[in-house]
Amino acid sequence: MISKDNYKYIYIRKLMKYMVTSRRKFIKISALGLGGLATTSAAFGLFKTNPLLDAAIKENVSKKLYRSATYCEVCFWKCAAWAYTDENNNIKKIIGNDDDPHCNGRLCPRGTGGVGMYSDEDRLKTPLIRTTVNGEQTYREASWDEALDLIASKFKDIKEEYGPESFALLKHGSPGSHLEHLFKAYGSDTIAEPAYAQCRGPRETGFGLTFGSWVGSPEPTDIRDTKCLVLIGSHLGENMHNSQVQEMSDAIDNGATIITVDPRFSTAASKSKHWLPIKPATDIALLLSWMHVLIEEDLYNKKYVEKYTKGFNELKAHVKTFTPEWAYGITTIKPEEIRKTARIMAAAAPSVIVHPGRHVTWYGDDSQRSRAIAMLNGLLGSWGNRGGFYFKEKISIPKYPHPDYPKPKWGWHDLGEQYPFAEMGITSEIIKATIPNEDNKHPIKAWMVAGTNLINTLPQREKTIEAINAVDFLVVIDTMPMEITGYADVVLPECTYLERYDGIRSATNRTPSIAVRVPAVKPKYDSKPAWWISQQIGKRIGLGDYFNYNDFEEVIEWQLNKLGTSLDEMKKIGVKHFDRKSGPLFLKEGQDYEFYTPSGKIEFYSQQLANKGFAPIPVYTAHPQPPQGFYRLNYGRSPMHTFSRTINNPNLSDLKSENMLWVNPKVARILGLKKHQEVWLKNQDDIVSTFSIKVRITERIRWDSVYLYHGFGHNNKKLSRAFGKGISDTELISKTVVDPLMGGTGLRGNFVSILTENPHKNSEL
Ligand code: SF4
């Protein structure tokens, strides 16, 4: 493995390549010297626990310690929890709230490690301002007033010179909503988040076009009552969507059949009756063939299709030739296996779920693949039926009064206008509009980046850095010194979710519920909550009317009162349930129902797509396969980590400190690889991984692919536990294929070769 000393030289060389013409130099913040109890369900058995012991601990803990209501921010699932603190204001433990449908009283392994976010000594501690000393760019510590005054002056300058729309917000997580309010009040809706175009956007388009409804989060899947769950590239159990994993375990205990389609034998595959190790990039062929079997064998849900769908005849004609024999040649899944699994789904229907997945930006035709998944559910009649998908409902949180937002002259919509089905800002379009180009109608001149480490999140790192170097001003708000913070003009240290109030969590579940987050402890160091940062900037730029409160507590109290409860009550219960108002969870036999599509029906044939020149029914298109000597780069989640942000977390790093490269034994034999041998990866564009990774030889991955956990390979030295550990998949994703419907970036068309010699050894000179 490359030593940390050698790393410095190599990394500087890499950066020089990126920044040779740049005005903005990356600054390693390190140069300044700045300073559970987990359970999952039994079928997975990742973290075994004794329910009696859990209850005893909860009882015991609640007697001795002070508890605060919160909801977890370690991932997007937002499980409601109790944070327990002792008399010295130390957080002793975080446990799930029993009344919360997101967690049912059990946090996942990552969630219990949330306390590590608070205690991490590598956290950002004070505002920092970029400065030049003896011709060298560096950071100096600043007071909040100084940092906020500087930011406010830039807000004013950008507005005056280019218009407020030229200031973009790139965000993730709870802090984003506070900053979004600031930006909208300022006059900019040039706002985007990687969670859309680099993650789940295509499935919302695919399901939206078919059922007239986004899937949303949490997905309205009635997994606990299902008889058959089909996972296509969705690795529940490793991707710890807490309540879904619990329900999947219950379903398995109740005899449900799990069918997993994945080139890797995932944890979910190990719990499945059928594992279909599909050739990557061929999923649409399998989906079309499944539909062919259901229709040709007369196994589809006829009553449901007749009553609720439109375009069945067109679909029937479309899939006529997509026999399992046709699909076999493409997917490598045997025809009898395709037929057998289609029949299992039909036998379970309508209590069957073909899961929409979550991270679905794969090959560029992802909205159409998601649509094929939605249509398969339509044929089976699972949408609106027990054991399938339920009709979700959520409480609308009253808006705290503020003046109307000004109407921007342009915004995210205009940047993504070539993608007619985009419904949120597209991060890659913000990057494009930031890189100077004379054809650019809407140039972006400044960025605020909150809670997202764009360097390790977005593909095509060179382009991200080119855009960063082009902006006049960059503010980064984060709890940790991530790679992105080194490019900022101003760095603001945000406090963690355990130290702040945030917006009320309103969840779509079987019954609507709300949850609150109140501070369990005072902010450590000189960190501040995003609501305060937004308010302070707002007041400085004349937008005080939009932030007409002393403390966010006041906002929550007002909203809770409108909802018929109070902050006092919510502090005691953490989660409150409300009665459903939109009707039953499921359709009644023969019930009339209007879907939110133009036709009011589930649309097998989409006139909306046809009108825009797209295929009205999904078609299979062949995607490039790895050339000789290369393997498809597949990546996914580890149960212990979320994105790149948790890798340095002291509690979670203890559980998993580095990723490994899954390699099929055949490949290992050809390349002469040994177990735990250190290797480097080089992609099709000659990008070589900065660090090395250990080999894991396993039959659990197809011979044409390699696999690693996402989020590792940090190159910021201030991340004392995460620095240099493993390989970053993002670093090697230089090729993307854009989804023409909604602008999502397909990330799984990258191929790597495995290097056994240290490619950086000459850099040690
Ligand atoms: S699934 Fe785990 S990490 Fe995510 S919010 Fe729930 S407890 Fe936290």
Side-chain angles (χ1 to χ4, degrees):
M1 184 176 168
I2 187 168
S3 75
K4 291 190 177 181
D5 287 337
N6 291 337
Y7 159 80
K8 187 177 169 192
Y9 181 75
I10 296 160
Y11 189 50
I12 288 170
R13 276 171 50 126
K14 284 192 163 200
L15 287 172
M16 280 171 64
K17 195 176 111 200
Y18 290 137
M19 301 191 304
V20 73
T21 57
S22 160
R23 56 162 283 280
R24 174 169 291 102
K25 221 177 147 188
F26 176 88
I27 301 172
K28 290 190 280 301
I29 286 174
S30 54
L32 293 174
L34 297 176
L37 179 69
T39 70
T40 65
S41 303
F44 289 90
L46 287 167
F47 295 84
K48 292 196 168 65
T49 187
N50 177 338
L52 294 175
L53 186 62
D54 283 4
I57 289 171
K58 282 181 189 177
E59 175 76 23
N60 190 32
V61 160
S62 64
K63 276 183 192 155
K64 293 183 182 160
L65 304 174
Y66 180 77
R67 72 175 197 178
S68 307
T70 188
Y71 53 87
C72 180
E73 185 83 12
V74 183
C75 90
F76 42 73
W77 208 249
K78 294 190 166 76
C79 298
W82 296 109
Y84 286 90
T85 43
D86 66 13
E87 62 280 4
N88 298 320
N89 211 26
N90 296 314
I91 303 175
K92 303 306 286 184
K93 187 175 280 293
I94 308 173
I95 61 175
N97 186 320
D98 288 334
D99 291 329
D100 184 34
H102 289 231
C103 74
N104 304 307
R106 301 167 175 184
L107 296 188
C108 82
R110 298 180 306 214
T112 48
V115 67
M117 282 175 79
Y118 167 74
S119 62
D120 194 330
E121 68 285 3
D122 293 342
R123 279 175 60 174
L124 290 167
K125 297 178 174 70
T126 185
L128 302 169
I129 293 178
R130 179 179 289 262
T131 187
T132 303
V133 176
N134 299 330
E136 274 297 305
Q137 290 187 23
T138 184
Y139 284 117
R140 65 179 172 80
E141 295 185 2
S143 69
W144 275 98
D145 272 341
E146 192 186 2
L148 293 166
D149 285 347
L150 174 59
I151 293 168
S153 71
K154 294 293 180 182
F155 263 85
K156 286 179 188 162
D157 292 349
I158 296 286
K159 188 174 198 166
E160 229 163 73
E161 206 168 330
Y162 309 107
E165 302 85 356
S166 294
F167 208 144
L169 171 65
L170 295 147
K171 67 184 180 82
H172 184 83
S174 304
S177 57
H178 302 294
L179 295 156
E180 187 168 339
H181 175 57
L182 169 70
F183 270 70
K184 286 184 171 165
Y186 171 66
S188 170
D189 75 351
T190 312
I191 298 170
E193 51 187 283
Y196 182 68
Q198 281 75 43
C199 194
R200 65 188 176 95
R203 72 164 201 195
E204 308 303 0
T205 301
F207 273 68
L209 284 164
T210 311
F211 292 111
S213 170
W214 274 30
V215 179
S217 177
E219 295 81 7
T221 44
D222 188 25
I223 296 177
R224 72 179 181 203
D225 295 323
T226 201
K227 292 184 190 149
C228 178
L229 174 63
V230 184
L231 301 171
I232 300 183
S234 174
H235 53 322
L236 278 180
E238 287 157 284
N239 204 355
M240 295 298 297
H241 297 167
N242 195 340
S243 43
Q244 285 198 348
V245 176
Q246 293 181 35
E247 291 203 14
M248 183 172 160
S249 181
D250 292 346
I252 292 169
D253 291 347
N254 293 334
T257 301
I258 313 294
I259 298 169
T260 296
V261 181
D262 199 320
R264 184 177 66 98
F265 190 70
S266 60
T267 304
S270 73
K271 309 295 171 197
S272 302
K273 287 203 182 119
H274 297 271
W275 172 44
L276 278 51
I278 194 167
K279 182 175 181 176
T282 66
D283 307 71
I284 291 183
L286 174 65
L287 291 159
L288 291 171
S289 189
W290 268 338
M291 289 195 258
H292 166 95
V293 176
L294 292 178
I295 294 173
E296 291 302 312
E297 295 191 10
D298 229 14
L299 297 173
Y300 64 97
N301 191 329
K302 280 180 225 60
K303 270 193 192 163
Y304 183 95
V305 166
E306 204 170 294
K307 184 156 185 70
Y308 298 117
T309 71
K310 177 179 170 281
F312 175 76
N313 289 337
E314 289 92 335
L315 175 61
K316 184 176 177 179
H318 182 75
V319 299
K320 183 90 191 151
T321 56
F322 299 143
T323 61
E325 286 69 23
W326 165 81
Y328 174 47
I330 296 168
T331 62
T332 72
I333 307 296
K334 290 192 175 130
E336 59 268 29
E337 195 65 11
I338 296 175
R339 287 202 171 85
K340 196 194 297 172
T341 44
R343 290 168 192 157
I344 290 170
M345 286 182 234
S351 297
V352 53
I353 299 164
V354 188
H355 198 285
R358 186 104 186 177
H359 177 74
V360 293
T361 39
W362 300 353
Y363 307 113
D365 52 3
D366 305 300
S367 295
Q368 291 282 22
R369 187 188 63 250
S370 289
R371 197 167 128 65
I373 291 174
M375 289 161 64
L376 184 56
N377 279 299
L379 277 180
L380 293 161
S382 60
W383 192 268
N385 271 313
R386 187 173 295 282
F389 294 79
Y390 57 81
F391 294 122
K392 60 193 176 184
E393 182 176 330
K394 83 189 264 194
I395 290 289
S396 169
I397 305 295
K399 293 264 176 282
Y400 193 77
H402 62 72
D404 289 343
Y405 294 131
K407 193 168 170 3
K409 292 199 184 90
W410 56 270
W412 67 264
H413 209 273
D414 302 87
L415 295 176
E417 66 186 352
Q418 69 272 44
Y419 305 110
F421 297 99
E423 293 192 55
M424 286 176 69
I426 300 168
T427 332
S428 29
E429 294 303 311
I430 300 249
I431 303 270
K432 243 192 245 168
T434 307
I435 296 172
N437 171 347
E438 45 189 46
D439 298 332
N440 188 356
K441 284 192 282 182
H442 304 302
I444 292 173
K445 296 293 184 181
W447 286 6
M448 179 177 278
V449 179
T452 176
N453 184 18
L454 296 181
I455 304 295
N456 275 19
T457 302
L458 298 180
Q460 301 179 312
R461 191 173 286 181
E462 282 195 47
K463 277 197 179 160
T464 307
I465 292 174
E466 194 183 345
I468 287 171
N469 285 324
V471 289
D472 289 355
F473 188 62
L474 170 60
V475 190
V476 172
I477 302 171
D478 213 315
T479 60
M480 296 295 298
M482 307 303 275
E483 281 73 11
I484 185 74
T485 47
Y487 292 97
D489 293 297
V490 180
V491 179
L492 299 180
E494 193 201 8
C495 57
T496 68
Y497 75 96
L498 293 161
E499 302 161 299
R500 66 186 194 225
Y501 283 103
D502 254 319
I504 296 166
R505 186 205 78 183
S506 174
T508 50
N509 281 301
R510 292 179 174 92
T511 55
S513 66
I514 57 168
V516 291
R517 177 183 285 162
V518 306
V521 282
K522 291 201 185 83
K524 241 187 182 188
Y525 311 117
D526 199 8
S527 63
K528 300 281 186 190
W531 69 260
W532 182 89
I533 295 170
S534 308
Q535 184 191 49
Q536 292 301 312
I537 296 170
K539 284 183 173 173
R540 281 168 168 78
I541 58 176
L543 301 173
D545 287 354
Y546 289 86
F547 300 91
N548 210 0
Y549 40 83
N550 294 316
D551 196 285
F552 205 66
E553 193 176 353
E554 265 177 60
V555 177
I556 298 171
E557 179 75 286
W558 183 89
Q559 292 172 321
L560 290 172
N561 290 344
K562 292 265 173 209
L563 292 171
T565 176
S566 67
L567 189 53
D568 271 351
E569 185 193 21
M570 290 304 293
K571 280 179 177 173
K572 286 185 198 124
I573 58 177
V575 173
K576 189 174 179 73
H577 293 262
F578 294 81
D579 292 335
R580 279 179 70 90
K581 293 207 171 116
S582 62
L585 273 177
F586 302 113
L587 294 164
K588 292 208 179 86
E589 179 79 35
Q591 179 191 333
D592 289 336
Y593 188 86
E594 192 158 337
F595 290 82
Y596 295 107
T597 53
S599 64
K601 303 272 188 189
I602 297 167
E603 298 198 343
F604 288 146
Y605 181 94
S606 172
Q607 194 59 50
Q608 289 189 82
L609 283 173
N611 291 348
K612 297 284 180 190
F614 298 114
I617 303 176
V619 291
Y620 165 72
T621 316
H623 297 297
Q625 292 294 331
Q628 181 80 23
F630 282 81
Y631 307 92
R632 188 179 296 276
L633 179 67
N634 275 335
Y635 54 85
R637 295 255 186 268
S638 123
M640 298 82 181
H641 288 290
T642 319
F643 318 125
S644 61
R645 70 157 101 165
T646 57
I647 309 293
N648 200 65
N649 180 310
N651 303 38
L652 302 180
S653 161
D654 268 0
L655 295 173
K656 180 162 275 303
S657 61
E658 61 186 305
N659 55 1
M660 295 184 92
L661 187 72
W662 294 36
V663 176
N664 184 279
K666 267 191 219 162
V667 175
R669 258 198 312 279
I670 292 166
L671 300 180
L673 300 176
K674 302 264 173 328
K675 181 181 171 189
H676 290 179
Q677 180 177 346
E678 286 189 6
V679 296
W680 291 256
L681 297 178
K682 181 174 171 180
N683 81 355
Q684 72 283 332
D685 297 323
D686 287 338
I687 293 178
V688 178
S689 63
T690 303
F691 301 109
S692 62
I693 189 167
K694 289 185 190 130
V695 168
R696 174 183 177 182
I697 301 170
T698 173
E699 295 278 3
R700 293 174 61 176
I701 182 80
R702 277 176 61 105
W703 60 268
D704 52 6
S705 301
V706 292
Y707 176 83
L708 46 78
Y709 284 137
H710 167 74
F712 289 84
H714 276 285
N715 53 24
N716 189 333
K717 291 176 94 173
K718 186 54 193 166
L719 298 169
S720 59
R721 280 169 292 276
F723 171 76
K725 297 281 177 60
I727 283 183
S728 160
D729 52 302
T730 314
E731 183 178 27
L732 298 163
I733 299 178
S734 53
K735 186 174 162 213
T736 61
V737 189
V738 179
D739 188 320
L741 274 66
M742 49 63 69
T745 38
L747 307 172
R748 293 203 173 164
N750 288 268
F751 309 125
V752 291
S753 59
I754 299 171
L755 310 180
T756 51
E757 292 280 316
N758 181 352
H760 303 300
K761 66 182 175 206
N762 293 332
S763 307
E764 292 171 22
L765 295 171

